[in-house]
């Protein structure tokens, strides 16, 4: 049990093994994951998309939202949602994944949102390239980063703050970074950032700030809590940091057969069994290969059609299931030659996990 005052203590939470703390269960109840069987949908329906909210979902009455653009700009401005929607629009299919996905499989694990595999989804996001808004405000020559602040606010490790993140100037000006008002052709749901959010394709989810209400151009790196104190790879608690940025190559399979209600263990009939899954990689590197593994023996799977530079790709194969206990896996490789490790080399916070998934099944 944590006895320290959460509003004062700057201590990192302890790593633990075994049973989940009531606080981890509480976070899991608030933040839903994709149901692995729904990986079959090319586009994840909004209600099946994973969710990660650090604080409370802000109540945002429609019609009164304004975004302030300020800091090191020639002409600070405030734009309404309608004004933003009149700018040139793009729709991009983007696979989002939480940087903490897989943390629950870490031993000992960092106490935070205990994702197993399900913090991923692929939606069609509609918005205007951020650069249109930045061009209107006019970035001054000394701008090195642009920060994005959400309307949600809370405490973490004794630090009160609004959720905020930044991008380097060149990244912020990319045509792919969008100010988004629609998900799968519908207005954003409250929990996904209504009425306006950022989407940073190829990056882990934390970069895609929801309930966006302030954009600030900076002449020095942004030092907000979510930029500096978390979302950094650290081999040891107070050691050197490497920022968490792009999504590492990864794949998942839809567990075949029938589930047991409580344990989610799988029962499969012997014989030819179709296997389906998804593979993705950030930084726009296409998936070039997916292997399907049974008890450590690998075969190549067939890749489905490409769905966009930042979207996952389907893959499939047939498994000749023989009676007994088996462990199924999949392993993706991208055009950069990156491939998934069999065992994760964990950092302190449990970020960037892309170790191969293991699905135990019983074949009868
Ligand atoms: N304002 C705000 N934006 C946020 C967050 C948040 O808590 N507050 N969570 C981030 C994280 S960690 C992730 S993984 C994604 C999740 O987006 P989704 O809930 O729409 O799937 O939103 C990001 N944007
Ligand atoms: Mo996340």
């Amino acid at each position: 049990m944590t006895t320290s005052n959460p509003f004062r203590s700057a201590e990192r939470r302890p790593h633990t093994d075994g049973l989940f703390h009531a606080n981890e269960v509480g976070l899991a109840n608030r933040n839903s994951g994709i149901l692995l069987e729904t990986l079959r949908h090319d586009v994840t329906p909004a209600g099946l998309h994973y969710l990660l909210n650090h604080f409370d979902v802000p109540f945002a009455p429609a019609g009164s939202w304004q975004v302030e653009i300020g800091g090191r700009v020639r002409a600070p401005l405030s734009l309404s949602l309608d004004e933003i929607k009149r700018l040139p629009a793009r729709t991009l299919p983007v696979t989002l994944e939480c940087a903490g996905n897989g943390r629950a499989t870490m031993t000992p694990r960092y106490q935070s949102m205990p994702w197993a595999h399900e913090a991923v989804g692929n939606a069609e996001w509609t918005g205007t390239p951020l650069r249109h808004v930045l061009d209107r405000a006019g970035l001054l020559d000394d701008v090195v980063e642009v920060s994005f602040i959400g309307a949600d606010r809370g405490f973490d490790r004794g630090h009160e703050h609004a959720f905020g993140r930044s991008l380097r100037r060149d990244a912020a000006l990319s045509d792919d970074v969008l100010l988004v008002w629609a998900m799968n052709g519908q207005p954003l749901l409250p929990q996904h950032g209504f009425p306006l959010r950022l989407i940073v394709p190829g990056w882990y989810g934390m970069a895609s700030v929801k309930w966006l209400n302030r954009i600030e151009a900076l002449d020095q790196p942004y030092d907000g809590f979510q930029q500096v104190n978390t979302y950094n790879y650290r081999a040891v608690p107070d050691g050197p940091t490497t920022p968490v940025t792009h999504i590492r190559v990864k794949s998942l399979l839809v567990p075949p057969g029938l589930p047991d209600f409580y344990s989610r263990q799988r029962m499969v009939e012997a014989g030819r069994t179709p296997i389906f899954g998804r593979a993705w990689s950030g930084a726009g590197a296409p998936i070039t290969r997916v292997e399907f593994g049974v008890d450590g023996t690998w075969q190549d799977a067939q890749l489905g059609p490409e769905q966009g530079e930042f979207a996952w790709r389907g893959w499939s194969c047939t498994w000749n299931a023989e009676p007994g206990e088996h462990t199924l896996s999949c392993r993706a490789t991208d055009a950069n030659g990156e491939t998934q490790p069999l065992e994760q080399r964990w950092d302190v916070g449990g970020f960037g996990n892309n170790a191969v998934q293991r699905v135990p099944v019983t074949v009868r």
Side-chain angles (χ1 to χ4, degrees):
M1 282 295 289
T2 307
T3 49
S4 58
N5 182 338
F7 304 115
R8 292 234 201 94
S9 171
E11 273 169 43
R12 223 171 275 279
R13 295 179 293 275
H15 287 68
T16 48
D17 262 328
L19 295 179
F20 289 93
H21 192 284
N23 290 343
E24 293 175 289
V25 176
L27 280 178
N29 283 336
R30 287 186 57 85
N31 295 296
S32 52
I34 198 171
L35 307 174
L36 291 186
E37 62 274 28
T38 67
L39 288 170
R40 286 187 168 270
H41 297 263
D42 285 343
V43 175
T44 308
L48 288 166
H49 196 279
Y50 88 91
L51 200 63
L52 195 293
N53 298 326
H54 285 74
F55 307 130
D56 291 352
V57 173
F59 177 64
S64 61
W65 199 260
Q66 291 283 132
V67 185
E68 314 290 328
I69 299 112
R72 303 289 302 157
V73 294
R74 263 180 287 281
L77 63 152
S78 173
L79 294 174
S80 69
L81 194 62
D82 285 341
E83 289 171 301
I84 291 174
K85 282 186 180 174
R86 282 199 287 273
L87 296 168
R90 288 187 80 187
T91 296
L92 282 179
V94 176
T95 297
L96 275 193
E97 182 180 12
C98 180
N101 200 10
R103 180 186 283 122
T105 64
M106 176 184 189
T107 54
R109 70 180 182 279
Y110 181 56
Q111 286 189 13
S112 183
M113 174 62 206
W115 296 115
H117 299 289
E118 57 293 279
V120 66
N122 184 64
E124 287 184 334
W125 302 98
T126 302
T128 191
L130 169 69
R131 69 175 171 77
H132 292 304
V133 167
L134 297 181
D135 286 350
R136 258 190 52 192
L139 296 183
L140 294 176
D141 288 344
D142 60 7
V143 169
V144 294
E145 287 197 4
V146 181
S147 67
F148 308 93
I149 315 295
D152 52 333
R153 194 176 182 83
F155 288 82
D156 196 355
R157 305 209 320 259
H159 205 97
E160 182 180 345
H161 61 285
F163 188 95
R165 291 280 310 178
S166 70
L167 292 173
R168 288 207 342 245
R169 179 187 183 124
D170 55 334
L173 291 170
S174 146
D175 216 34
D176 298 325
V177 174
L178 303 180
L179 287 177
V180 160
W181 55 81
M183 178 185 193
N184 299 346
Q186 301 291 323
L188 294 173
L189 293 171
Q191 63 272 37
H192 288 295
F194 179 86
L196 190 74
R197 74 177 298 172
L198 197 67
I199 286 287
V200 185
W203 285 54
Y204 282 111
M206 73 282 151
S208 294
V209 176
K210 304 193 269 193
W211 313 293
L212 183 66
N213 63 8
R214 181 159 176 84
I215 298 172
E216 188 155 340
L218 305 170
D219 61 5
Q220 51 195 342
Y222 175 64
D223 63 358
F225 184 90
Q226 301 291 336
Q227 193 77 24
V228 175
N229 301 67
T230 178
Y231 297 114
N232 278 274
Y233 297 112
R234 289 177 168 86
V236 291
D238 293 306
T241 60
T242 308
V244 174
T245 57
H246 293 88
I247 300 176
R248 290 173 171 165
V249 63
K250 189 154 172 186
S251 61
L252 289 175
L253 61 90
V254 174
L258 299 178
D260 170 57
F261 161 61
Y262 179 64
S263 67
R264 304 300 304 173
Q265 288 181 55
R266 317 293 307 186
M267 177 63 74
V268 177
E269 300 298 331
R272 291 171 64 80
T273 307
I275 301 290
F276 181 87
R278 295 283 172 188
W280 62 93
S281 180
I287 294 296
T288 51
R289 184 181 192 193
V290 175
E291 299 155 279
F292 169 64
V294 182
D295 305 323
T297 304
W298 299 88
Q299 70 180 78
D300 275 302
Q302 284 79 54
L303 297 180
E306 282 201 55
Q307 305 200 43
E309 196 182 345
F310 303 106
W312 64 22
R313 197 168 176 177
W315 60 267
S316 60
C317 65
T318 303
W319 172 39
N320 201 1
E322 288 171 13
E325 303 295 320
H326 300 287
T327 301
L328 310 183
S329 298
C330 52
R331 177 167 64 189
T333 303
D334 71 16
N336 293 338
E338 298 291 334
T339 193
Q340 295 181 249
L342 294 176
E343 301 298 335
Q344 185 69 18
R345 280 180 52 208
W346 289 105
D347 83 308
V348 172
F351 292 124
N353 163 63
N354 68 338
V356 301
Q357 175 195 16
R358 290 193 170 79
V359 181
V361 297
T362 301
V363 178
R364 68 175 174 194

